[in-house]
Amino acid sequence: MSQKQEEENPAEETGEEKQDTQEKEGILPERAEEAKLKAKYPSLGQKPGGSDFLMKRLQKGVWGVVSYPLSLEPKGVLGMKSVEQKYFDSGDYNMAKAKMKNKQLPSAGPDKNLVTGDHIPTPQDLPQRKSSLVTSKLAG
Amino acid sequence: MTQVNTTSYKTIKLWKISERDKRPEGYNLKEEDGRYRDPTTVTTLRVPVFRPMDLMVEASPRRIFANAHTYHINSISINSDYETYLSADDLRINLWHLEITDRSFNIVDIKPANMEELTEVITAAEFHPNSCNTFVYSSSKGTIRLCDMRASALCDRHSKLFEEPEDPSNRSFFSEIISSISDVKFSHSGRYMMTRDYLSVKIWDLNMENRPVETYQVHEYLRSKLCSLYENDCIFDKFECCWNGSDSVVMTGSYNNFFRMFDRNTKRDITLEASRENNKPRTVLKPRKVCASGKRKKDEISVDSLDFNKKILHTAWHPKENIIAVATTNNLYIFQDKVN
């Protein structure tokens, strides 16, 4: 058993040396990237491995990503960016998409919360009307 | 007949997968299309016979295992005893019996009493292919713990801890994120295990805990793109890895629908692409090369033109043949060794 390990070592030494030089050349790009990130998000914490960061990842799903418009400002001390919703599987994704579509549909009937007859409406009170695509011949 | 375990969030299902290649024909009371025949029109009796049909693969759920996980399940692994299996989420690992769906035993629990003290989570777990008492689990900090279930009921104390020492002067903001292990797989022999972190694949000898015996760079050119990869969340992508049947070649996925294979004996590696545009069935795949910097040679692809939405996270290798399955976002590709 130990003999096998020794035989593997010589090959490993060269492999390791190669890796060392690779890593040394590699530090520079990684540190440069870190500097770029910190320049964009000055409030970024020192390291991302804190409990806040991990707990946020605990709550995320696994499948598919739907991107919401991201703000450049990170949320939270540890620099987490605004949440991209990830879904667990295709069923979950389709359900959420259906919900989104339903929310976007205009409400069918009159708004039940509006109280009518309570006061005399003024032009400012009225809901905004979409301007006609065709200007009326009667207008200015 | 095969059995497959799947998991969705927190529920585990055991499916039976079977092939059907014949169907009965010649019923007395039903037409071929399923409509019922008027019994008064039946004048003779016949014996239905099996006739061949186009192969159909069916999956039917056989067991549904009770909700025993608080967090999202990341791994399930059937034991070599074919009686038990484990399921792992971010903080706990449970042991189940395949026949018992309403109970499981917790064998690992790394949840701290105070969640503010949380420093690492479980990322993958697998049973040893031969020793039914041994399993490993990997963490978001790049460590792997080997546990022996004979030692105690709750395997909170590892038997072995595999960790590669890191030069503290090399540390950057990204170090811990890219060291997080996304997959761990034992070799078929059971002597080695392979781990996949964001940029590399490492082979560990179970007898040596202080460093891997082999390291293969999957896409080292991404090291100078870590800032954008963090911003678009790609740095958190979880790539899997797999061994071929003889443990001589390992394979893993990358971006741009590329996947990579490393031959452990010859130390040669190859990059191939799974895409419909370039490959008609039966054509031999052309090796790809990514140009990291400098002048791009003809046929090379520059790092900046890689499509990070086209990622190959899941790959599998047939245990005996040189047949591989590679999953892109929307398609599953099956490739085989070219027949000479």
Side-chain angles (χ1 to χ4, degrees):
Chain A
M1 212 62 104
S2 51
Q3 212 193 350
K4 268 200 182 152
Q5 282 178 2
E6 273 168 24
E7 276 167 20
E8 276 184 301
N9 270 341
E12 243 191 288
E13 289 298 343
T14 34
E16 257 188 282
E17 277 168 10
K18 273 192 190 156
Q19 221 181 317
D20 264 352
T21 26
Q22 246 185 348
E23 274 177 21
K24 291 219 161 79
E25 285 161 6
I27 293 178
L28 302 173
E30 208 171 310
R31 285 281 172 82
E33 291 297 300
E34 182 177 2
K36 251 195 245 174
L37 193 68
K38 293 210 163 137
K40 276 194 186 175
Y41 308 105
S43 59
L44 210 58
Q46 206 26 57
K47 55 179 238 141
S51 59
D52 283 355
F53 179 87
L54 283 175
M55 281 196 280
K56 281 214 168 108
R57 301 226 55 95
L58 284 182
Q59 286 156 30
K60 281 193 171 191
V62 175
W63 189 84
V65 175
V66 170
S67 293
Y68 292 100
L70 299 175
S71 68
L72 277 184
E73 274 311 309
K75 299 199 166 143
V77 173
L78 293 162
M80 275 300 291
K81 41 200 264 298
S82 25
V83 175
E84 264 188 356
Q85 180 66 42
K86 290 190 202 219
Y87 297 93
F88 182 71
D89 57 18
S90 58
D92 196 20
Y93 176 80
N94 287 320
M95 290 280 290
K97 265 209 146 169
K99 261 195 208 159
M100 279 202 294
K101 277 201 184 135
N102 284 339
K103 277 196 188 145
Q104 280 163 15
L105 287 173
S107 46
D111 191 341
K112 296 210 169 97
N113 290 331
L114 269 181
V115 177
T116 51
D118 223 6
H119 71 285
I120 297 165
T122 59
Q124 286 86 352
D125 289 344
L126 294 173
Q128 284 295 323
R129 240 192 99 225
K130 244 207 253 183
S131 57
S132 313
L133 290 169
V134 180
T135 3
S136 165
K137 285 183 186 134
L138 301 171
Chain B
M1 276 194 298
T2 21
Q3 290 183 320
V4 164
N5 257 357
T6 63
T7 181
S8 169
Y9 271 133
K10 299 163 189 176
T11 306
I12 301 164
K13 291 182 185 171
L14 179 68
W15 301 78
K16 181 174 114 176
I17 297 178
S18 45
E19 292 177 340
R20 193 199 288 264
D21 63 356
K22 17 181 180 315
R23 61 152 188 254
E25 274 176 29
Y27 283 109
N28 291 290
L29 296 175
K30 261 201 288 191
E31 302 287 357
E32 293 311 327
D33 60 8
R35 279 179 304 146
Y36 283 100
R37 287 171 77 186
D38 179 357
T40 55
T41 63
V42 177
T43 51
T44 57
L45 282 181
R46 56 190 176 171
V47 179
V49 289
F50 277 107
R51 288 264 146 75
M53 63 180 251
D54 285 342
L55 183 65
M56 198 164 72
V57 178
E58 301 172 323
S60 46
R62 284 300 225 236
R63 305 262 188 284
I64 297 178
F65 295 89
N67 189 340
H69 284 278
T70 315
Y71 303 99
H72 301 314
I73 298 172
N74 55 52
S75 316
I76 40 184
S77 172
I78 299 185
N79 205 349
S80 51
D81 63 9
Y82 285 106
E83 279 187 350
T84 54
Y85 73 92
L86 63 75
S87 58
D89 66 26
D90 289 319
L91 297 176
R92 296 193 180 93
I93 301 180
N94 293 332
L95 179 70
W96 303 79
H97 191 285
L98 282 167
E99 300 296 321
I100 299 169
T101 57
D102 60 355
R103 242 176 307 148
S104 66
F105 290 100
N106 176 242
I107 51 177
V108 172
D109 188 338
I110 63 167
K111 186 172 183 202
N114 178 5
M115 281 299 266
E116 308 265 307
E117 288 163 29
L118 184 67
T119 53
E120 67 184 319
V121 295
I122 298 170
T123 52
E126 197 184 53
F127 264 121
H128 190 275
N130 307 318
S131 307
C132 58
N133 49 275
T134 306
F135 66 93
V136 291
Y137 67 93
S138 57
S139 85
S140 52
K141 275 187 161 174
T143 63
I144 310 104
R145 286 171 176 80
L146 184 140
C147 299
D148 188 330
M149 296 196 292
R150 297 169 300 187
S152 67
L154 186 63
C155 301
D156 269 356
R157 295 216 326 247
H158 54 263
S159 302
K160 291 195 183 188
L161 173 65
F162 298 83
E163 186 172 14
E164 186 168 22
E166 198 199 2
D167 185 352
S169 64
N170 286 359
R171 269 195 88 78
S172 77
F173 176 84
F174 305 109
S175 299
E176 191 170 306
I177 306 178
I178 61 174
S179 71
S180 176
I181 292 172
S182 51
D183 193 16
V184 64
K185 292 260 169 53
F186 278 106
S187 64
H188 294 91
S189 63
R191 163 87 190 264
Y192 299 98
M193 68 179 171
M194 165 167 55
T195 56
R196 174 69 154 99
D197 51 72
Y198 191 59
L199 298 177
S200 66
V201 153
K202 294 180 179 165
I203 313 276
W204 303 77
D205 183 327
L206 290 192
N207 299 311
M208 188 160 78
E209 297 167 62
N210 59 358
R211 62 198 160 133
V213 291
E214 293 155 40
T215 302
Y216 301 101
Q217 301 302 334
V218 182
H219 36 218
E220 179 66 14
Y221 46 77
L222 294 185
R223 205 180 281 270
S224 50
K225 301 285 169 198
L226 291 177
C227 180
S228 354
L229 293 168
Y230 176 85
E231 288 180 290
N232 63 19
D233 248 13
C234 281
I235 205 175
F236 301 107
D237 283 336
K238 295 184 184 180
F239 291 96
E240 289 179 2
C241 53
C242 61
W243 299 82
N244 74 340
S246 59
D247 298 334
S248 59
V249 181
V250 295
M251 173 168 71
T252 189
S254 178
Y255 295 105
N256 211 71
N257 282 344
F258 288 169
F259 58 99
R260 305 256 289 134
M261 290 188 200
F262 302 92
D263 189 319
R264 298 177 62 212
N265 300 321
T266 65
K267 300 300 177 196
R268 288 200 338 241
D269 61 80
I270 191 170
T271 305
L272 298 170
E273 181 178 355
S275 106
R276 263 207 272 230
E277 294 146 12
N278 301 324
N279 307 308
K280 279 185 237 158
R282 309 218 179 273
T283 49
V284 176
L285 295 180
K286 205 175 83 163
R288 298 274 178 237
K289 190 135 169 48
V290 176
C291 168
S293 60
K295 209 149 184 237
R296 188 178 72 91
K297 296 198 192 102
K298 179 188 161 200
D299 278 356
E300 282 185 357
I301 297 154
S302 77
V303 184
D304 295 312
S305 44
L306 292 175
D307 188 342
F308 290 97
N309 290 317
K310 293 188 179 167
K311 47 193 102 176
I312 291 180
L313 302 176
H314 309 285
T315 56
W317 203 308
H318 192 285
K320 297 205 175 81
E321 309 287 330
N322 275 347
I323 303 172
I324 58 174
V326 170
T328 61
T329 315
N330 296 318
N331 298 299
L332 179 68
Y333 291 80
I334 311 276
F335 297 110
Q336 69 180 66
D337 213 1
K338 58 181 186 246
V339 181
N340 288 323

